[in-house]
């Protein structure tokens, strides 16, 4: 089972974060979600960096077959550039991973964007 990460302040270096990032696990057949961490970033690149780091941490805890899509995403340069372009344009970006009992959702959301 994944371990929840401590929620981080949604301010970055004393500045109001322009991007809100979070990761959440949604166990199947459960009524509640499990927060896996949150972060405030001041730029699209820093927001994407947090999503990449958290994706790496999550995939490290999954069985190999379930980790493969996340590991592929981490090395998919065109998709990462697309994510960066979305964030820079003010559009939220979401990555969803699965295993046999849980859905993991990672989001980077510019302030004021619909999620």
């Amino acid at each position: 089972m994944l371990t929840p990460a401590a929620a981080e302040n949604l301010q970055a270096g004393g500045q109001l974060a322009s991007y809100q990032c979070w990761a959440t696990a949604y166990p199947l057949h459960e009524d509640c979600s499990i927060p896996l961490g949150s972060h405030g970033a001041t730029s699209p690149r820093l927001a994407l960096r947090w999503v990449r780091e958290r994706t790496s941490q999550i995939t490290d805890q999954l069985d190999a077959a379930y980790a493969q899509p996340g590991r592929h995403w981490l090395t998919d340069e065109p998709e990462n550039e697309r994510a960066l372009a979305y964030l820079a344009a003010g559009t939220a970006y979401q990555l969803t991973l699965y295993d046999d009992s849980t859905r993991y959702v990672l989001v980077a959301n510019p302030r004021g964007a619909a999620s």
Side-chain angles (χ1 to χ4, degrees):
M1 179 50 124
L2 288 178
T3 56
E8 300 166 25
N9 191 347
L10 288 179
Q11 288 195 354
Q15 300 175 350
L16 185 59
S18 300
Y19 297 84
Q20 300 169 344
C21 309
W22 64 90
T24 305
Y26 297 91
L28 299 178
H29 313 297
E30 297 288 330
D31 292 335
C32 61
S33 61
I34 303 168
L36 300 176
S38 62
H39 178 71
T42 56
S43 72
R45 192 165 301 280
L46 292 174
L48 183 59
R49 180 184 297 171
W50 185 87
V51 171
R52 289 178 50 81
E53 288 171 359
R54 199 65 187 117
T55 298
S56 178
Q57 294 167 350
I58 290 170
T59 57
D60 284 349
Q61 297 181 55
L62 296 175
D63 290 339
Y66 295 113
Q68 187 58 34
R71 290 189 180 130
H72 174 76
W73 181 84
L74 288 167
T75 61
D76 186 346
E77 289 298 321
E79 180 60 22
N80 279 255
E81 288 299 319
R82 186 170 74 94
L84 188 58
Y86 277 0
L87 292 170
T91 302
Y93 184 82
Q94 176 178 310
L95 173 66
T96 304
L97 304 170
Y98 298 88
D99 69 12
D100 59 349
S101 63
T102 307
R103 177 174 45 108
Y104 306 93
V105 178
L106 299 100
V107 176
N109 192 30
R111 276 205 187 275
S115 52

